Amino acid sequence: MDFKPLSGREFPRFSAIKTFFRLPVAEVTQAFDVGIFGVPFDGAVSYRPGARFAPSQVRETSSLGRGFHASRGLQVFDRLKVADLGDCPTVPIDQSQTSQRIEDFTDRLLLANKRFLAVGGDHSITLPLLRSVHRKHGRVNFIHFDAHLDTYPTAWGCEYHHGSFARHAVEEGLVDPHQMIQIGIRGPFVGKDDLDFARQKGIRVFTIDHIRNGSLADFLNGLPEFTGPTYLSFDVDCLDPAYAPGTGTPVPGGLTSYEVQRILRALRVRKLVAGDVVEVSPPYDTSEITSLLAVDVLFEMLCLMSAG
Ligand code: MN
Ligand code: MN
């Protein structure tokens, strides 16, 4: 199988069975490089649900995805064999069972030496994904786009929720806090000690003010280089709600779609082993604005993977 998207010039983009980027559906045993799969779970959100519907909506919207990156000058589907692996099994009313299923699904994929992109789901899904990645690659570099720090404490007596995954990832030793950046962070915070965890662990936090106060070019030039195995997690609420309204916990004053593109294009990542796009909530997504952006982020991540 050549793992090419179905041509829009043969079959119109509004036709055909919907898969990510109109790619073939594959089994893990087949000869592809990168598997894209859905994780339709939103049982760990603190506010608006709906992210369980993102994988099917992003598949639908990705019919508009194309393979040639204009500014990078590369045809990503010539460089990488990419497949749609379907959806990871989930249990909509049980987060711990869902986490176990995510780890089992991802372990199988990584055992077969594949890379992956996961489409959430709420941000709680990143922790089991990182546990699997850690078993395969050891402690990874971590690039985290978000309005929120996601290093928050227990809520309603529950340790695991979509606002605590990053704290657990550091505490479990899955990611290297000194090779971890958070991009797009902004208030309001719950309290003035919200940033203490990042400070104590040595995580670099790039707030929206860091990005906007000077020129974008200066900000991009100051981004660190990542050499070892790296994971990129993209929470769409890093964008301003004007650019990504379809999300569970929107925060005004965020990034624009173009700023996100520029940052993703400027990242110097030698070895992107896995990534995810989370927190797209189709019921709140006017005109599919947010799922279109998610498709673009997946495309940029594929381009990053094709480089190393
Ligand atoms: Mn998040
Ligand atoms: Mn967030």
Side-chain angles (χ1 to χ4, degrees):
M1 195 186 287
D2 63 357
F3 295 100
K4 297 286 192 218
L6 198 61
S7 164
R9 289 176 181 157
E10 254 178 271
F11 296 93
R13 292 186 180 275
F14 47 81
S15 70
I17 296 168
K18 300 300 180 181
T19 61
F20 290 118
F21 292 95
R22 316 184 92 206
L23 289 159
V25 175
E27 296 292 327
V28 69
T29 48
Q30 287 179 260
F32 60 88
D33 306 307
V34 182
I36 309 180
F37 60 92
V39 188
F41 177 77
D42 62 11
V45 299
S46 55
Y47 196 54
R48 305 197 299 207
R52 66 177 65 180
F53 300 113
S56 58
Q57 181 58 51
V58 172
R59 279 192 183 89
E60 173 82 30
T61 314
S62 73
S63 289
L64 279 174
R66 292 166 173 85
F68 186 78
H69 196 294
S71 58
R72 294 178 192 265
L74 68 87
Q75 169 56 257
V76 75
F77 298 115
D78 283 349
R79 296 227 193 158
L80 289 178
K81 290 181 177 175
V82 189
D84 186 331
L85 303 183
D87 286 347
C88 171
T90 57
V91 183
I93 56 170
D94 191 319
Q95 203 221 338
S96 80
Q97 285 194 59
T98 295
S99 285
Q100 192 56 54
R101 286 174 195 217
I102 295 170
E103 288 187 47
D104 294 345
F105 185 92
T106 314
D107 280 351
R108 230 180 121 232
L109 192 59
L110 294 174
L111 202 64
N113 295 316
K114 309 298 189 187
R115 286 185 276 177
F116 72 79
L117 295 176
V119 180
D122 70 52
H123 221 156
S124 70
I125 70 158
T126 302
L127 185 64
L129 292 170
L130 280 169
R131 285 177 181 150
S132 285
V133 167
H134 178 259
R135 274 192 285 278
K136 172 76 180 178
H137 296 287
R139 209 157 67 143
V140 290
N141 307 324
F142 190 54
I143 302 172
H144 175 197
F145 286 80
D146 211 313
H148 309 93
L149 294 152
D150 289 354
T151 55
Y152 296 109
T154 299
W156 311 290
C158 296
E159 195 50 57
Y160 299 98
H161 54 85
H162 76 151
S164 67
F165 92 88
R167 175 170 60 83
H168 289 294
V170 172
E171 287 175 348
E172 292 182 21
L174 311 178
V175 302
D176 180 354
H178 298 287
Q179 296 298 324
M180 171 171 173
I181 59 172
Q182 297 184 298
I183 300 174
I185 304 298
R186 55 194 182 274
F189 296 129
V190 176
K192 66 175 170 20
D193 56 356
D194 278 20
L195 282 160
D196 286 358
F197 183 86
R199 281 199 200 103
Q200 285 159 8
K201 299 292 180 183
I203 300 164
R204 274 165 292 179
V205 176
F206 295 106
T207 67
I208 195 76
D209 290 334
H210 286 116
I211 300 165
R212 286 272 174 76
N213 279 347
S215 77
L216 183 60
D218 283 346
F219 170 73
L220 299 177
N221 286 331
L223 284 168
E225 185 172 1
F226 296 94
T227 48
T230 302
Y231 188 106
L232 197 164
S233 184
F234 192 95
D235 180 334
V236 291
D237 68 29
C238 70
L239 286 118
D240 191 272
Y243 294 87
T247 194
T249 327
V251 185
L255 297 165
T256 68
S257 310
Y258 181 66
E259 284 168 337
V260 160
Q261 289 176 328
R262 289 289 301 275
I263 296 169
L264 289 168
R265 289 167 196 171
L267 287 177
R268 286 169 296 161
V269 180
R270 296 256 188 87
K271 193 180 178 198
L272 186 64
V273 293
D276 62 54
V277 180
V278 296
E279 300 282 347
V280 174
S281 180
Y284 297 97
D285 195 14
T286 312
S287 302
E288 288 94 50
I289 299 168
T290 315
S291 57
L292 261 175
L293 187 279
V295 171
D296 205 69
V297 172
L298 291 170
F299 178 50
E300 294 289 349
M301 289 203 278
L302 286 173
C303 290
L304 283 169
M305 284 179 164
S306 78

